[in-house]
Amino acid sequence: MKIRDITNCIEEIAPLNYAEDFDNVGLLIGDYNTNVTGVLATLDTLETIIDEAIEKKCNLIVSFHPIIFSGLKKINGKNYVEKAVLKAIKNDIAIYAMHTALDNSNIGVNAKICEVLGIKNPKILIPQKNTIKKLTTYAPISNADKVRNALFNAGAGMIGNYENCSFNTNGFGTYKGNENSNPVIGEKGTLHAENETFISVIFEKHKEKSILKALFNAHMYEEVAYDIVSIENTNQEIGLGMVGDLETEMNAIDFLKFVQKTMNSNGIRHSKLLEKPVKKVAVLGGSGSFAIENAKNSGADIYITSDIKYHEFYKAEDTLIIADIGHYESEQFTKNLLVDILTKKFPNFAIILSEKNTNPIYYL
């Protein structure tokens, strides 16, 4: 088992293309071709986590948060980041992080929060833009079905609950090969007109490489004419936060007590309680002040997140309750999610849940 086998599995549900621009994701330390002795899943990678990996004979740490976030100009062990990096390198331990790539996954961090809190039918709160592309190509009519089906099999043509979606029309294309050409249809040096099918499909941007490979393998022409453009449509399956409904509405204070107990929170900071029951719930793991307006616009009765500043609580404006349950608390079940995903894929391999609590915040 190579590191790449593990990371490929993770990237099926959290493609790195969907991480936010500011983030630092992927293999931070190590070589993708290294044989894996064991995998330790954690929320953060600190020096204590490196020690745990050594103790449990795991040479790959799969971490939610990246220990290396901004550039390191020196690595001499003068702070907690450098100490962790040095110890990992000295002990041949690789570190992989996915952070906002998993935040943006529809089965990632926020889906896990919804599962834990019993939120039903969750939808993406902030669908991500610029994640959908459109491919247009032209194939001889006799070759069109093969090309189209190859594109579908590679993941193109998915729109919401529909698959194998495409637009097609027939016309004719022209070409004339030079002396170095080897046309499948027609003669080089002679202008040829061929009845062709125009095929147009959309796809998620992380599938581009595999879709182009499928196109080239299925197409009969020596040179394949195609173009790819990015489109502005938002992707309802990729994005930050989620919003859904409780199976049964609850009194606001009772729901907050339920959240506190279920999420193991030592304290919840919240805006003014409203005189209406809680039914629709918006969630966003980690720092979520930027999405307060999105939560309000979704019609949520309460917004569960963390790292809300004093003046940001005013933004509730008597339309919903803003609840800050703590950063670690909102993301704590992410490592369980990683273990579940990897264990299902590699049932006979050592996938270990870190036993360390890496929360840097304590309460009296």
Side-chain angles (χ1 to χ4, degrees):
M1 184 80 69
K2 305 286 187 181
I3 287 177
R4 186 172 297 281
D5 297 320
I6 302 293
T7 60
N8 282 347
C9 172
I10 295 171
E11 290 170 25
E12 287 178 7
I13 61 105
L16 299 185
N17 308 62
Y18 301 134
E20 299 298 311
D21 292 339
F22 64 80
D23 210 356
N24 187 33
V25 294
L27 190 62
L28 307 183
I29 297 173
D31 184 337
Y32 279 108
N33 293 316
T34 299
N35 289 319
V36 180
T37 59
V39 179
L40 182 68
T42 181
L43 192 66
D44 304 280
T45 304
L46 307 176
E47 197 174 3
T48 54
I49 300 298
I50 307 295
D51 291 333
E52 185 180 14
I54 295 169
E55 177 189 346
K56 295 177 178 176
K57 296 180 172 55
C58 296
N59 67 342
L60 173 60
I61 294 174
V62 174
S63 176
F64 177 62
H65 290 130
I67 184 63
I68 303 173
F69 198 78
S70 53
L72 296 177
K73 295 185 177 180
K74 298 178 181 178
I75 305 178
N76 50 33
K78 287 189 176 180
N79 57 50
Y80 79 97
V81 173
E82 295 177 10
K83 288 176 182 177
V85 170
L86 273 177
K87 181 166 283 191
I89 293 172
K90 285 181 180 179
N91 291 276
D92 293 322
I93 293 175
I95 300 174
Y96 179 91
M98 73 291 303
H99 202 206
T100 56
L102 194 60
D103 278 324
N104 278 305
S105 171
N106 66 350
I107 55 173
V109 177
N110 298 295
K112 188 64 177 179
I113 297 173
C114 290
E115 176 191 325
V116 171
L117 293 179
I119 298 170
K120 306 298 181 183
N121 304 314
K123 305 294 183 184
I124 298 294
L125 181 65
I126 311 176
Q128 195 176 84
K129 296 181 179 179
N130 302 316
T131 65
I132 301 176
K133 293 189 175 185
K134 181 170 68 172
L135 166 71
T136 298
T137 190
Y138 313 82
I141 291 177
S142 62
N143 186 218
D145 285 344
K146 182 178 180 181
V147 169
R148 191 184 304 107
N149 289 330
L151 294 174
F152 293 156
N153 290 335
M158 303 285 290
I159 303 176
N161 294 323
Y162 295 84
E163 58 185 28
N164 294 6
C165 302
S166 68
F167 178 78
N168 306 265
T169 187
N170 292 336
F172 71 92
T174 63
Y175 55 84
K176 181 170 73 172
N178 63 24
E179 61 182 12
N180 296 316
S181 66
N182 185 28
V184 176
I185 303 174
E187 301 291 336
K188 61 183 176 182
T190 301
L191 180 65
H192 179 78
E194 180 67 24
N195 291 324
E196 295 180 335
T197 299
F198 166 101
I199 303 170
S200 179
V201 292
I202 66 169
F203 63 91
E204 295 166 322
K205 67 179 183 180
H206 72 278
K207 299 176 181 177
E208 182 171 331
K209 184 176 180 180
S210 61
I211 285 171
L212 285 178
K213 182 178 179 180
L215 171 64
F216 299 147
N217 286 339
H219 206 293
M220 65 190 302
Y221 281 168
E222 181 182 24
E223 296 288 349
V224 180
Y226 72 95
D227 60 90
I228 292 176
V229 296
S230 295
I231 57 180
E232 289 295 317
N233 305 47
T234 54
N235 192 331
Q236 300 300 319
E237 301 298 320
I238 297 171
L240 294 170
M242 283 191 158
V243 58
D245 296 313
L246 298 178
E247 192 165 4
T248 305
E249 65 182 33
M250 296 178 66
N251 172 276
I253 193 66
D254 290 339
F255 180 66
L256 284 172
K257 288 179 179 178
F258 165 73
V259 171
Q260 182 175 20
K261 180 179 179 181
T262 306
M263 302 300 288
N264 304 312
S265 176
N266 286 307
I268 296 180
R269 300 161 61 236
H270 62 83
S271 61
K272 184 176 71 175
L273 298 181
L274 305 178
E275 294 182 2
K276 63 176 183 177
V278 171
K279 177 68 173 177
K280 181 173 283 191
V281 181
V283 305
L284 196 153
S287 302
S289 61
F290 66 91
I292 291 174
E293 292 302 319
N294 300 91
K296 289 164 66 175
N297 291 337
S298 74
D301 300 309
I302 190 167
Y303 175 42
I304 298 169
T305 187
S306 70
D307 299 344
I308 301 296
K309 296 179 182 179
Y310 175 87
H311 290 95
E312 291 167 340
F313 281 104
Y314 286 127
K315 293 181 180 179
E317 297 181 308
D318 293 335
T319 58
L320 85 172
I321 300 166
I322 298 172
D324 183 336
I325 67 172
H327 195 121
Y328 176 87
E329 288 80 2
S330 71
E331 297 176 333
Q332 64 185 293
F333 296 109
T334 304
K335 61 183 182 180
N336 303 75
L337 172 66
L338 293 171
V339 169
D340 291 343
I341 291 168
L342 292 174
T343 300
K344 288 178 182 177
K345 182 71 174 181
F346 309 105
N348 299 316
F349 197 75
I351 311 294
I352 298 172
L353 179 69
S354 173
E355 298 176 359
K356 303 292 184 182
N357 182 328
T358 56
N359 191 354
I361 299 171
Y362 293 83
Y363 300 83
L364 287 175

